[in-house]
Amino acid sequence: MSVAFFGVNVSCAQCHDHPLVKDWTQDHFYGMKAFLARTFDNGGFLAERGYGVVKFKPHKGPERTARMMFLTGTKVEDTTKEPSAAEQKKEKAELDRAKAAKKPPPRPAFSAREKLVEVSLQGGNSDFFARSIVNRMWHRFFGSGLVNPLDQMHSENPPSHPELLAWLARDTAAHGYDLRRLVRGITMSRAYSRSSRYHTESPPEARLFAVARLRPLTPMQLATSLKIVGTDPDALDGKKPEEFEKAVEQFEGSARGFASLIAQPTDNFQVGVGEALLFSNGDRVMKDFLTDAGGSLLGRVKDVQDPKEAVSLLVKAAYGRAPTDEESAALVGYVEKRSDRRPEAYRQVLWALVTGPEFRFNY
């Protein structure tokens, strides 16, 4: 059994005489669990009871009741008592009413979750939260954290760049955990702006962040990108920021169904059989994204007389760049051999572009 707290995955195997990780004991693990054990779902809303204890069997000795304790050893006193049967019945009725009304449940008189927030932001305790949120945001934008795996932040798994992690954690805490500031700092860094290309025989170690890491698009990103690429670019040109944002929201809304058919990529990404068959043999991609109806990219291209101009437009729409001479020659040649059915040829060209690795990955 394991639970992740503030970037720390504390497992029962780690809690007693683990050969490597000696940062925490069973008391720490169950002490953290005690903060959250009273939490439950109440009709889609997070609910919490104001009572309840966690008991555990230690590695040695008799069963014990866990005290609420943070990872640093800071304890929280809980003076609440087990309610009577009548009080529990009243609480259940209140929860049922909130559930039926689809409203948030009442807050308990003593909130263990609130106490966890308070203690986790006190003094030196806040370092856990600051380091964890920085590491997760770094992972979000780079595809890899300064500490990997994300839930293994302990003394035997040091960060790749300890000074950087420490500085970002201090800066984030000093500015009230302003995530916008953190995101801005990360995305404006030289590290984030690097290309995935390298000029050595083998790529640098991923943990050095010397080059950008290839990252597959998420299902929602891929489905939305397919919606956008299938649209005539002129339909989006000249829109005001709020109009463009609304258009993207519409793309996202209409792409959700297709996104549900694609697996969420993992760190060791490989295209699954289902996704490969969906793009190669299924007609869903063609019907949903590659039609030549009015307002579509293919609808615009089929009226272009010059195949080279049409191919350039398709590549620019799919990849955001002009085709190379080699690409242009190959694709134009393909189209010209099918001069009697050019609209279908253009559709196959676009299909080849959106099913290629350059479209699937951020680089």
Side-chain angles (χ1 to χ4, degrees):
M1 179 180 181
S2 64
V3 181
F5 302 108
F6 303 97
V8 179
N9 188 67
V10 186
S11 66
C12 286
Q14 294 173 342
C15 290
H16 47 80
D17 300 333
H18 191 280
L20 290 178
V21 183
K22 300 184 181 296
D23 300 28
W24 302 285
T25 65
Q26 281 187 305
D27 287 329
H28 290 92
F29 172 79
Y30 288 104
M32 291 294 290
K33 183 178 179 180
F35 283 110
L36 304 174
R38 301 172 180 181
T39 302
F40 62 97
D41 176 82
N42 193 65
F45 289 93
L46 195 67
E48 183 182 14
R49 291 189 174 88
Y51 60 92
V53 298
V54 171
K55 295 186 177 182
F56 68 100
K57 178 73 174 176
H59 186 51
K60 297 178 182 179
E63 183 180 67
R64 300 213 300 260
T65 298
R67 295 181 61 186
M68 294 180 188
M69 182 171 68
F70 193 65
L71 293 169
T72 57
T74 303
K75 298 181 178 68
V76 171
E77 293 298 326
D78 178 13
T79 58
T80 58
K81 297 181 180 179
E82 190 77 13
S84 64
E87 289 172 330
Q88 291 187 38
K89 184 177 180 180
K90 180 182 177 182
E91 178 193 59
K92 184 178 184 304
E94 291 176 345
L95 289 169
D96 288 343
R97 281 195 296 271
K99 186 175 182 179
K102 297 182 179 180
K103 293 183 177 181
R107 178 185 176 280
F110 178 91
S111 171
R113 295 177 67 92
E114 183 179 327
K115 294 297 181 182
L116 175 58
V117 173
E118 290 178 2
V119 71
S120 66
L121 297 180
Q122 288 176 357
N125 296 347
S126 63
D127 185 55
F128 280 97
F129 176 74
R131 284 164 55 90
S132 178
I133 192 62
V134 163
N135 193 48
R136 288 180 180 276
M137 293 301 285
W138 189 274
H139 180 276
R140 176 68 180 83
F141 288 98
F142 286 89
S144 178
L146 295 167
V147 177
N148 288 295
L150 294 180
D151 60 358
Q152 293 294 329
M153 296 182 76
H154 52 73
S155 59
E156 296 299 328
N157 187 37
S160 59
H161 299 69
E163 296 87 355
L164 174 60
L165 179 61
W167 187 90
L168 287 172
R170 288 196 303 271
D171 183 77
T172 300
H175 290 86
Y177 303 96
D178 184 348
L179 296 188
R180 289 180 182 274
R181 174 187 170 84
L182 176 60
V183 169
R184 184 168 59 250
I186 290 175
T187 57
M188 293 182 67
S189 67
R190 284 188 295 173
Y192 185 73
S193 67
R194 286 174 180 146
S195 166
S196 60
R197 295 180 179 179
Y198 53 91
H199 304 287
T200 55
E201 291 186 3
S202 57
E205 287 186 61
R207 67 192 301 271
L208 299 178
F209 301 100
V211 295
R213 180 180 180 179
L214 286 173
R215 290 179 295 151
L217 300 178
T218 65
M220 198 65 208
Q221 288 172 336
L222 178 57
T224 303
S225 296
L226 286 168
K227 278 288 184 183
I228 293 174
V229 79
T231 302
D232 184 350
D234 285 348
L236 298 175
D237 285 347
K239 284 186 177 292
K240 296 178 180 179
E242 58 273 15
E243 294 174 337
F244 183 81
E245 184 176 343
K246 185 176 181 180
V248 172
E249 289 176 356
Q250 291 173 342
F251 286 135
E252 291 175 341
S254 60
R256 293 188 187 282
F258 188 83
S260 66
L261 304 176
I262 304 171
Q264 185 72 29
T266 59
D267 286 342
N268 299 317
F269 174 73
Q270 286 187 345
V271 174
V273 174
E275 183 177 328
L277 291 175
L278 176 66
F279 278 89
S280 60
N281 291 344
D283 60 358
R284 183 75 180 264
V285 175
M286 296 294 187
K287 289 181 177 180
D288 284 10
F289 308 110
L290 305 183
T291 68
D292 58 2
S296 68
L297 174 62
L298 290 173
R300 175 180 171 183
V301 166
K302 70 180 180 181
D303 294 326
V304 177
Q305 298 301 313
D306 182 4
K308 187 173 183 179
E309 181 184 344
V311 163
S312 180
L313 183 59
L314 292 172
V315 174
K316 181 67 180 295
Y319 295 158
R321 62 171 176 80
T324 63
D325 292 341
E326 185 179 4
E327 289 170 337
S328 181
L331 295 175
V332 170
Y334 176 87
V335 173
E336 288 179 337
K337 288 180 181 179
R338 293 156 180 80
S339 58
D340 59 328
R341 53 187 190 281
R342 276 191 181 175
E344 181 59 28
Y346 288 139
R347 190 157 82 134
Q348 291 300 322
V349 167
L350 186 56
W351 173 84
L353 293 172
V354 300
T355 56
E358 185 169 348
F359 190 82
R360 188 67 174 85
F361 287 83
N362 272 322
Y363 59 94

